[in-house]
Amino acid sequence: DSAEQLLLLVLNHELKTVAPRPRTVHCSRKFQAKLSKLPVAQQQAANAIMLKFGKGDDINGHLSTGSARPKETDPLLADWRIHHLHISNHKKKPSDKFYARTGPVMFAQISDDAVYFIDIYPHGKGFPETWTRQEVLKIVDDEWPHLLDPYRATGIVDVAFTPSDMELKKLRKARVNTILKVGGSFVTPPGGGLTGAGTPVANMLRKNRTIQVIKELEARVAARSTELKAQIAAHTGKPEKEMDFQLVPLQPKSWGVVEKTTGMLVARRA
């Protein structure tokens, strides 16, 4: 695979998984009502998962098994930026990476500092519309309208076609990104949508941005290589001829260049 293809796989893995960090937990009224009707064991599992989010524990074992396969696209996540989590806190085998799969799954939008539990839906055979229920966006709009504000289209009076959930399923499968009427406004895909190749638009944009940043860093360091080596030598006593520069990932979501033998950071770009 080319470097760009490998970068897309890394970005897709990052998109589909959740970095462990403490998050504020929010639950919609619809979610709370559905949760109260689940069997006691699943209610306990859901509460345990929410506690994990609050503490910053790893919740990736509750996600789709597809989250561990970087070549696979999660259409719901790519289109609406919504994860789904299985409601169990036990594993079939202790060595399993994922917790036991469940019929009902929790829909949630996850940011760096918060998780918003939207609703609970059955999935699998007999529930073909689960992943394109427009009700999901309506709940988000009703409970946390600020989450959709960046994606509201302005200047649109109406749209010629308002798809049903099943029609939207077909459109998504055909990789047609759709502006949807949500409440009193029109919303573009919060996740960015899908490319013609069926990959997340968000990953393609991040790939292009990452390559641009890397090239800018490379040019900046190359233009000042002699000056930088002289400064490092004066500071550390390390011979210039032994020095070499290396690109490294930094947190959060930035890149840097370090001098390998000293570990000194010489350039950084977000």
Side-chain angles (χ1 to χ4, degrees):
D1 288 340
S2 71
E4 290 192 16
Q5 289 173 323
L6 291 173
L7 177 56
L8 279 173
L9 293 179
V10 171
L11 292 174
N12 199 39
H13 175 74
E14 185 177 301
L15 177 71
K16 294 196 296 181
T17 53
V18 178
R21 60 169 61 94
R23 290 174 170 87
T24 304
V25 177
H26 305 272
C27 300
S28 76
R29 288 164 291 182
K30 195 74 172 285
F31 176 85
Q32 291 173 325
K34 293 269 191 78
L35 180 61
S36 68
K37 296 178 182 178
L38 290 178
V40 173
Q42 288 186 341
Q43 290 186 43
Q44 292 173 341
N47 288 325
I49 293 168
M50 287 188 277
L51 185 61
K52 285 183 180 181
F53 271 108
K55 293 169 60 181
D57 292 344
D58 188 349
I59 60 84
N60 287 289
H62 300 283
L63 298 176
S64 164
T65 54
S67 63
R69 296 188 287 272
K71 289 187 177 182
E72 288 187 13
T73 295
D74 181 336
L76 174 65
L77 183 61
D79 200 6
W80 292 350
R81 202 161 68 90
I82 290 173
H83 285 85
H84 68 277
L85 300 96
H86 291 260
I87 316 172
S88 66
N89 55 6
H90 70 279
K91 298 180 178 181
K92 288 186 176 181
K93 294 185 296 184
S95 59
D96 286 348
K97 180 175 182 177
F98 291 93
Y99 289 87
R101 309 288 85 184
T102 57
V105 290
M106 302 186 292
F107 278 33
Q109 188 171 115
I110 304 170
S111 67
D112 285 343
D113 58 5
V115 54
Y116 301 85
F117 285 97
I118 303 165
D119 205 346
I120 299 171
Y121 294 114
H123 81 299
K125 189 175 181 180
F127 302 99
E129 77 290 350
T130 292
W131 312 118
T132 49
R133 286 179 178 264
Q134 295 169 68
E135 177 190 30
V136 172
L137 295 178
K138 180 65 168 61
I139 294 170
V140 174
D141 191 43
D142 288 342
E143 298 273 350
W144 313 289
H146 68 281
L147 295 179
L148 294 183
D149 284 347
Y151 313 103
R152 298 187 199 277
T154 58
I156 296 179
V157 177
D158 204 351
V159 290
F161 173 61
T162 302
S164 65
D165 292 346
M166 286 304 296
E167 287 169 334
L168 185 58
K169 178 182 174 70
K170 293 177 182 178
L171 288 169
R172 189 184 283 170
K173 187 175 182 181
R175 298 155 189 173
V176 176
N177 297 317
T178 310
I179 295 176
L180 298 171
K181 187 171 185 178
V182 181
S185 62
F186 297 91
V187 176
T188 60
L194 296 159
T195 67
T199 56
V201 168
N203 288 348
M204 188 64 67
L205 294 175
R206 281 197 64 198
K207 181 209 74 170
N208 294 342
R209 171 66 176 165
T210 299
I211 291 172
Q212 177 187 359
V213 166
I214 290 172
K215 287 182 177 179
E216 288 179 3
L217 277 173
E218 181 182 30
R220 189 195 308 174
V221 173
R224 298 185 58 220
S225 177
T226 301
E227 175 191 353
L228 289 170
K229 287 182 178 180
Q231 290 175 351
I232 294 171
H235 184 73
T236 65
K238 179 71 68 173
E240 292 183 30
K241 63 181 180 180
E242 296 181 8
M243 295 182 190
D244 193 17
F245 296 111
Q246 180 180 27
L247 180 75
V248 294
L250 303 173
Q251 295 297 332
K253 297 180 181 179
S254 62
W255 293 86
V257 175
V258 299
E259 196 291 304
K260 290 171 66 174
T261 62
T262 61
M264 292 186 67
L265 182 69
V266 299
R268 179 174 186 157
R269 184 82 156 77

Coordinates of all heavy atoms in Angstrom, one line a residue, residues 15-18 23-28 30-32 46 49-50 53-54 59 62-64 74-87 104-121 130-131 133 135-137 139-140 143-144 147-148 190-191:
L15 N -10.8 7.3 13.7 CA -12.2 7.7 13.7 C -13.1 6.8 14.4 O -14.0 7.2 15.0 CB -12.6 7.9 12.2 CG -14.0 8.3 11.9 CD1 -14.2 9.8 12.3 CD2 -14.4 8.1 10.4
K16 N -12.9 5.5 14.2 CA -13.8 4.5 14.7 C -13.6 4.1 16.1 O -14.5 3.4 16.7 CB -13.7 3.2 13.8 CG -14.2 3.5 12.4 CD -14.5 2.2 11.6 CE -13.3 1.3 11.4 NZ -13.6 0.1 10.7
T17 N -12.5 4.4 16.7 CA -12.2 4.0 18.1 C -12.3 5.3 19.0 O -12.3 6.4 18.5 CB -10.8 3.4 18.2 OG1 -9.8 4.2 17.6 CG2 -10.8 2.0 17.5
V18 N -12.3 5.1 20.3 CA -12.5 6.1 21.2 C -11.3 6.2 22.2 O -11.1 5.2 22.9 CB -13.8 5.9 22.0 CG1 -14.0 7.0 23.1 CG2 -15.0 5.9 21.1
R23 N -15.1 11.8 30.3 CA -16.1 12.6 29.5 C -17.3 12.9 30.4 O -17.7 12.0 31.1 CB -16.4 11.9 28.2 CG -15.3 11.8 27.2 CD -15.7 10.9 26.0 NE -14.8 11.0 24.9 CZ -13.7 10.3 24.8 NH1 -13.4 9.4 25.7 NH2 -12.9 10.5 23.7
T24 N -17.9 14.0 30.1 CA -19.2 14.3 30.8 C -20.3 13.5 30.1 O -20.3 13.5 28.8 CB -19.5 15.8 30.7 OG1 -18.5 16.5 31.3 CG2 -20.8 16.1 31.4
V25 N -21.1 12.9 30.8 CA -22.2 12.0 30.2 C -23.5 12.7 30.2 O -24.0 13.2 31.2 CB -22.3 10.7 31.0 CG1 -23.4 9.8 30.5 CG2 -21.0 9.9 31.0
H26 N -24.1 12.7 29.0 CA -25.4 13.3 28.8 C -26.4 12.2 28.2 O -26.0 11.4 27.4 CB -25.4 14.5 27.8 CG -24.4 15.5 28.2 ND1 -24.7 16.6 29.0 CD2 -23.1 15.7 27.8 CE1 -23.6 17.4 29.2 NE2 -22.6 16.9 28.5
C27 N -27.6 12.2 28.7 CA -28.6 11.2 28.2 C -29.9 12.0 27.8 O -30.4 12.8 28.5 CB -28.9 10.2 29.3 SG -27.5 9.3 29.9
S28 N -30.4 11.6 26.6 CA -31.6 12.2 26.2 C -32.8 11.6 26.9 O -32.7 10.5 27.5 CB -31.8 12.0 24.7 OG -32.2 10.6 24.4
K30 N -35.4 10.4 25.6 CA -35.8 9.2 24.9 C -34.9 8.0 25.3 O -35.4 6.9 25.5 CB -35.7 9.4 23.3 CG -36.3 8.4 22.5 CD -37.8 8.6 22.5 CE -38.5 7.7 21.5 NZ -38.4 8.2 20.1
F31 N -33.6 8.3 25.4 CA -32.7 7.3 25.8 C -33.0 6.7 27.2 O -33.0 5.5 27.5 CB -31.2 7.8 25.8 CG -30.2 6.9 26.4 CD1 -29.6 5.9 25.5 CD2 -29.8 6.9 27.7 CE1 -28.7 5.0 26.0 CE2 -28.9 6.0 28.2 CZ -28.3 5.1 27.3
Q32 N -33.3 7.7 28.1 CA -33.6 7.3 29.5 C -34.9 6.4 29.6 O -34.9 5.5 30.3 CB -33.7 8.5 30.4 CG -32.4 9.3 30.6 CD -32.6 10.6 31.3 OE1 -33.6 11.3 31.1 NE2 -31.7 11.0 32.1
A46 N -25.5 -0.9 30.9 CA -25.5 0.4 30.3 C -24.9 1.4 31.3 O -24.1 2.3 31.0 CB -26.9 0.8 29.9
I49 N -21.2 1.1 31.5 CA -20.6 1.7 30.4 C -20.5 3.2 30.5 O -19.5 3.9 30.3 CB -21.3 1.4 29.0 CG1 -21.1 -0.1 28.8 CG2 -20.8 2.2 27.9 CD1 -22.0 -0.7 27.7
M50 N -21.6 3.8 31.0 CA -21.6 5.3 31.2 C -20.6 5.7 32.3 O -20.0 6.7 32.2 CB -23.0 5.7 31.6 CG -24.0 5.7 30.4 SD -25.6 6.4 30.8 CE -26.5 5.0 31.6
F53 N -17.2 5.9 30.8 CA -17.0 7.1 30.1 C -16.7 8.2 31.1 O -15.7 9.0 30.8 CB -18.3 7.5 29.3 CG -18.4 7.0 27.9 CD1 -19.2 6.0 27.6 CD2 -17.6 7.5 26.9 CE1 -19.3 5.5 26.3 CE2 -17.6 7.1 25.6 CZ -18.5 6.0 25.3
G54 N -17.4 8.3 32.2 CA -17.1 9.3 33.2 C -15.7 9.2 33.8 O -15.1 10.3 34.1
I59 N -13.6 2.1 26.5 CA -14.9 1.6 26.2 C -14.9 0.9 24.9 O -16.0 0.5 24.4 CB -16.0 2.7 26.3 CG1 -15.7 3.8 25.3 CG2 -16.1 3.2 27.7 CD1 -16.1 3.6 23.9
H62 N -16.9 -2.3 23.7 CA -18.4 -2.2 23.6 C -18.8 -1.8 22.2 O -20.0 -1.8 21.8 CB -19.0 -1.3 24.6 CG -18.7 -1.7 26.0 ND1 -19.3 -2.7 26.7 CD2 -17.8 -1.2 26.9 CE1 -18.9 -2.8 27.9 NE2 -17.9 -1.9 28.1
L63 N -17.8 -1.3 21.4 CA -18.1 -0.9 20.0 C -18.3 -2.0 19.1 O -18.2 -3.2 19.4 CB -17.0 0.0 19.5 CG -16.7 1.3 20.3 CD1 -15.5 2.0 19.7 CD2 -17.9 2.2 20.3
S64 N -18.7 -1.7 17.9 CA -18.8 -2.7 16.8 C -17.5 -3.4 16.6 O -16.4 -2.8 16.7 CB -19.2 -2.0 15.5 OG -19.0 -2.8 14.4
D74 N -17.6 2.6 8.7 CA -18.8 2.6 9.4 C -19.7 3.7 8.9 O -19.5 4.9 9.1 CB -18.5 2.8 10.9 CG -19.7 2.8 11.8 OD1 -20.8 3.1 11.3 OD2 -19.6 2.6 13.0
P75 N -20.7 3.3 8.0 CA -21.5 4.4 7.4 C -22.2 5.3 8.3 O -22.3 6.5 8.0 CB -22.5 3.5 6.5 CG -21.8 2.2 6.3 CD -21.1 2.0 7.6
L76 N -22.7 4.8 9.4 CA -23.4 5.6 10.4 C -22.5 6.7 11.0 O -22.8 7.9 11.1 CB -24.0 4.8 11.5 CG -24.7 5.6 12.7 CD1 -25.9 6.3 12.2 CD2 -25.1 4.6 13.8
L77 N -21.3 6.3 11.3 CA -20.3 7.2 11.9 C -19.8 8.1 10.8 O -19.6 9.3 11.1 CB -19.1 6.3 12.4 CG -18.0 7.1 13.1 CD1 -18.5 7.8 14.4 CD2 -16.9 6.1 13.5
A78 N -19.5 7.7 9.6 CA -19.0 8.5 8.5 C -20.1 9.6 8.1 O -19.7 10.7 7.8 CB -18.7 7.7 7.3
D79 N -21.4 9.2 8.2 CA -22.4 10.1 7.7 C -22.9 11.1 8.9 O -22.9 12.3 8.7 CB -23.6 9.3 7.2 CG -24.5 10.1 6.3 OD1 -24.2 11.3 6.0 OD2 -25.6 9.6 5.9
W80 N -23.1 10.5 10.0 CA -23.7 11.3 11.1 C -22.9 11.5 12.3 O -23.3 12.1 13.3 CB -25.1 10.7 11.5 CG -26.1 10.8 10.5 CD1 -26.1 11.5 9.3 CD2 -27.4 10.1 10.5 NE1 -27.3 11.4 8.6 CE2 -28.1 10.5 9.3 CE3 -28.1 9.3 11.4 CZ2 -29.4 10.1 9.1 CZ3 -29.3 8.9 11.1 CH2 -30.0 9.2 10.0
R81 N -21.7 10.9 12.3 CA -20.7 11.0 13.5 C -21.3 10.4 14.7 O -21.3 11.0 15.8 CB -20.3 12.5 13.7 CG -19.0 12.6 14.5 CD -18.4 14.0 14.3 NE -19.2 15.0 14.9 CZ -19.0 15.5 16.2 NH1 -18.1 14.9 17.0 NH2 -19.7 16.4 16.7
I82 N -22.0 9.3 14.6 CA -22.6 8.6 15.7 C -22.1 7.2 15.8 O -22.1 6.4 14.8 CB -24.2 8.6 15.5 CG1 -24.7 10.0 15.7 CG2 -24.8 7.6 16.5 CD1 -26.2 10.2 15.3
H83 N -21.6 6.8 17.0 CA -21.2 5.5 17.3 C -22.4 4.6 17.8 O -23.4 5.2 18.3 CB -20.1 5.5 18.4 CG -18.8 5.9 18.0 ND1 -18.4 7.2 17.9 CD2 -17.7 5.2 17.6 CE1 -17.1 7.3 17.5 NE2 -16.7 6.1 17.3
H84 N -22.2 3.3 17.8 CA -23.2 2.5 18.5 C -22.4 1.5 19.4 O -21.3 1.1 19.0 CB -24.1 1.7 17.5 CG -23.4 0.6 16.7 ND1 -22.7 0.9 15.5 CD2 -23.3 -0.7 16.8 CE1 -22.2 -0.2 15.0 NE2 -22.6 -1.2 15.8
L85 N -23.0 1.3 20.5 CA -22.4 0.5 21.6 C -23.3 -0.7 22.0 O -24.5 -0.5 22.2 CB -22.0 1.3 22.8 CG -21.1 2.5 22.6 CD1 -21.9 3.8 22.4 CD2 -20.1 2.6 23.8
H86 N -22.7 -1.9 22.2 CA -23.4 -3.0 22.6 C -23.6 -3.0 24.1 O -22.6 -2.6 24.9 CB -22.8 -4.3 22.2 CG -22.8 -4.5 20.7 ND1 -23.8 -5.3 20.1 CD2 -22.1 -3.9 19.7 CE1 -23.6 -5.3 18.8 NE2 -22.7 -4.4 18.5
I87 N -24.8 -3.4 24.6 CA -25.1 -3.2 26.0 C -24.9 -4.4 26.8 O -25.8 -5.1 27.2 CB -26.6 -2.7 26.2 CG1 -26.9 -1.7 25.1 CG2 -26.8 -2.1 27.5 CD1 -28.4 -1.3 25.0
P104 N -30.3 -4.9 21.2 CA -30.4 -3.5 21.2 C -29.0 -2.9 21.4 O -28.1 -3.4 22.0 CB -31.2 -3.3 22.5 CG -31.0 -4.5 23.3 CD -30.8 -5.6 22.4
V105 N -28.8 -1.7 20.8 CA -27.5 -1.0 20.8 C -27.8 0.4 21.2 O -28.9 1.0 20.9 CB -26.7 -1.1 19.5 CG1 -26.2 -2.5 19.3 CG2 -27.5 -0.6 18.3
M106 N -26.8 1.1 21.9 CA -27.0 2.5 22.2 C -26.3 3.4 21.2 O -25.2 3.1 20.8 CB -26.3 2.7 23.6 CG -26.8 1.9 24.7 SD -26.1 2.3 26.4 CE -24.4 1.8 26.2
F107 N -27.0 4.4 20.7 CA -26.5 5.3 19.8 C -25.9 6.5 20.6 O -26.6 7.1 21.5 CB -27.6 5.8 18.8 CG -27.9 4.9 17.7 CD1 -27.7 3.5 17.8 CD2 -28.3 5.4 16.5 CE1 -28.0 2.7 16.7 CE2 -28.5 4.6 15.4 CZ -28.4 3.2 15.5
A108 N -24.7 6.9 20.3 CA -24.1 8.0 21.0 C -23.2 8.9 20.1 O -22.5 8.3 19.2 CB -23.3 7.5 22.2
Q109 N -23.2 10.1 20.4 CA -22.2 11.0 19.7 C -21.1 11.3 20.8 O -21.5 11.7 21.9 CB -22.9 12.3 19.2 CG -21.9 13.2 18.4 CD -22.5 14.3 17.7 OE1 -22.2 15.5 18.0 NE2 -23.5 14.1 16.8
I110 N -19.9 11.1 20.4 CA -18.8 11.2 21.3 C -17.8 12.3 20.9 O -17.3 12.3 19.7 CB -18.0 9.8 21.4 CG1 -19.0 8.7 21.8 CG2 -16.9 9.9 22.4 CD1 -18.5 7.3 21.7
S111 N -17.5 13.2 21.7 CA -16.5 14.2 21.5 C -15.3 14.0 22.4 O -15.3 13.0 23.2 CB -17.1 15.6 21.7 OG -17.4 15.8 23.1
D112 N -14.4 14.9 22.4 CA -13.2 14.8 23.2 C -13.5 14.9 24.7 O -12.9 14.2 25.5 CB -12.1 15.8 22.9 CG -11.4 15.5 21.6 OD1 -11.5 14.4 21.1 OD2 -10.8 16.5 21.0
D113 N -14.6 15.6 25.1 CA -14.8 15.8 26.5 C -16.2 15.4 26.9 O -16.6 15.6 28.1 CB -14.6 17.3 26.9 CG -15.4 18.3 26.0 OD1 -16.3 17.8 25.2 OD2 -15.2 19.5 26.2
A114 N -17.1 14.9 26.0 CA -18.4 14.6 26.4 C -18.9 13.4 25.5 O -18.4 13.1 24.4 CB -19.4 15.8 26.2
V115 N -20.0 12.7 26.1 CA -20.7 11.7 25.3 C -22.1 12.0 25.5 O -22.6 12.2 26.6 CB -20.3 10.3 25.8 CG1 -20.5 10.1 27.3 CG2 -21.1 9.2 25.0
Y116 N -22.9 11.9 24.3 CA -24.3 12.2 24.3 C -25.0 10.9 23.9 O -25.0 10.5 22.7 CB -24.6 13.3 23.3 CG -23.9 14.6 23.6 CD1 -22.6 14.8 23.2 CD2 -24.5 15.6 24.4 CE1 -21.9 16.0 23.5 CE2 -23.8 16.8 24.7 CZ -22.5 17.0 24.2 OH -21.9 18.2 24.5
F117 N -25.7 10.3 24.9 CA -26.5 9.1 24.6 C -27.8 9.5 24.0 O -28.6 10.1 24.7 CB -26.6 8.2 25.8 CG -25.3 7.5 26.2 CD1 -24.5 8.0 27.1 CD2 -25.0 6.3 25.5 CE1 -23.3 7.3 27.5 CE2 -23.8 5.6 25.9 CZ -23.0 6.1 26.8
I118 N -28.1 9.1 22.8 CA -29.2 9.6 22.0 C -30.4 8.7 22.2 O -31.5 9.1 22.5 CB -28.8 9.7 20.5 CG1 -27.6 10.7 20.4 CG2 -30.0 10.3 19.7 CD1 -26.9 10.6 19.0
D119 N -30.3 7.4 21.9 CA -31.4 6.5 21.9 C -30.9 5.1 21.9 O -29.7 4.8 21.7 CB -32.3 6.7 20.6 CG -33.8 6.3 20.9 OD1 -34.0 5.6 21.9 OD2 -34.6 6.6 20.1
I120 N -31.8 4.1 22.0 CA -31.5 2.7 22.0 C -32.4 2.0 20.9 O -33.6 2.2 20.9 CB -31.8 2.0 23.3 CG1 -30.9 2.7 24.4 CG2 -31.5 0.5 23.3 CD1 -31.2 2.3 25.8
Y121 N -31.7 1.3 20.0 CA -32.5 0.7 18.9 C -32.1 -0.8 18.8 O -30.9 -1.2 19.0 CB -32.2 1.4 17.6 CG -32.7 2.8 17.5 CD1 -31.8 3.8 17.4 CD2 -34.0 3.1 17.5 CE1 -32.2 5.1 17.3 CE2 -34.5 4.4 17.4 CZ -33.6 5.4 17.3 OH -34.0 6.7 17.2
T130 N -32.4 0.6 10.9 CA -31.7 1.0 12.2 C -30.7 2.1 12.0 O -30.6 3.1 12.7 CB -31.1 -0.2 12.9 OG1 -32.1 -1.0 13.4 CG2 -30.3 0.3 14.1
W131 N -29.9 2.0 11.0 CA -28.7 2.9 10.8 C -29.1 4.1 10.1 O -28.2 5.0 9.9 CB -27.6 2.1 10.1 CG -27.3 0.8 10.6 CD1 -27.4 -0.4 10.0 CD2 -26.9 0.5 12.0 NE1 -27.1 -1.4 10.9 CE2 -26.8 -0.9 12.1 CE3 -26.6 1.2 13.1 CZ2 -26.4 -1.6 13.2 CZ3 -26.2 0.6 14.3 CH2 -26.1 -0.8 14.3
R133 N -32.2 5.9 10.7 CA -33.3 6.5 11.4 C -33.1 8.0 11.6 O -32.3 8.4 12.4 CB -33.6 5.9 12.8 CG -34.1 4.4 12.8 CD -34.2 3.9 14.2 NE -34.8 2.6 14.3 CZ -36.1 2.4 14.5 NH1 -36.9 3.4 14.6 NH2 -36.5 1.1 14.6
E135 N -34.9 10.0 13.0 CA -35.3 10.3 14.3 C -34.1 10.6 15.2 O -34.2 11.4 16.2 CB -36.1 9.2 14.9 CG -36.6 9.4 16.4 CD -37.2 8.2 17.0 OE1 -36.8 7.1 16.6 OE2 -38.1 8.4 17.9
V136 N -33.0 10.0 14.9 CA -31.8 10.1 15.7 C -31.3 11.6 15.7 O -31.0 12.2 16.7 CB -30.6 9.2 15.2 CG1 -29.3 9.6 15.8 CG2 -31.0 7.8 15.4
L137 N -31.3 12.2 14.5 CA -30.9 13.6 14.3 C -31.9 14.5 15.0 O -31.6 15.6 15.5 CB -30.7 13.9 12.9 CG -29.6 13.2 12.1 CD1 -29.5 13.6 10.7 CD2 -28.2 13.5 12.8
I139 N -33.7 13.9 17.7 CA -33.5 13.8 19.1 C -32.3 14.7 19.5 O -32.3 15.5 20.4 CB -33.2 12.4 19.6 CG1 -34.5 11.5 19.4 CG2 -32.8 12.4 21.0 CD1 -34.3 10.1 19.6
V140 N -31.2 14.6 18.7 CA -30.1 15.5 18.9 C -30.5 17.0 18.8 O -30.1 17.8 19.7 CB -28.9 15.2 17.9 CG1 -27.8 16.2 18.1 CG2 -28.4 13.8 18.1
E143 N -32.6 17.9 21.9 CA -31.9 17.9 23.2 C -30.6 18.8 23.3 O -30.3 19.4 24.3 CB -31.5 16.4 23.6 CG -32.7 15.5 23.7 CD -33.2 15.5 25.1 OE1 -32.6 16.1 26.0 OE2 -34.3 14.9 25.3
W144 N -29.8 18.7 22.2 CA -28.5 19.4 22.2 C -28.4 20.1 20.8 O -27.5 19.7 20.0 CB -27.4 18.5 22.4 CG -27.6 17.5 23.6 CD1 -27.6 17.9 24.9 CD2 -27.9 16.1 23.6 NE1 -27.9 16.8 25.7 CE2 -28.1 15.7 24.9 CE3 -28.0 15.2 22.5 CZ2 -28.3 14.3 25.2 CZ3 -28.3 13.9 22.8 CH2 -28.5 13.5 24.2
L147 N -25.0 20.8 18.9 CA -24.2 19.8 18.2 C -24.4 19.8 16.7 O -23.6 19.4 16.0 CB -24.6 18.4 18.8 CG -24.2 18.2 20.3 CD1 -24.6 16.7 20.7 CD2 -22.7 18.4 20.5
L148 N -25.6 20.3 16.3 CA -25.9 20.4 14.9 C -25.7 21.8 14.3 O -25.7 21.9 13.0 CB -27.4 20.0 14.6 CG -27.7 18.5 14.9 CD1 -29.2 18.2 14.6 CD2 -26.8 17.5 14.2
P190 N -23.4 15.5 9.6 CA -22.5 15.9 10.6 C -21.1 15.2 10.6 O -20.1 15.7 11.2 CB -23.3 15.6 11.9 CG -24.7 15.6 11.5 CD -24.7 15.1 10.1
G191 N -21.1 14.0 10.1 CA -19.9 13.2 10.0 C -19.0 13.6 8.7 O -17.9 13.1 8.6

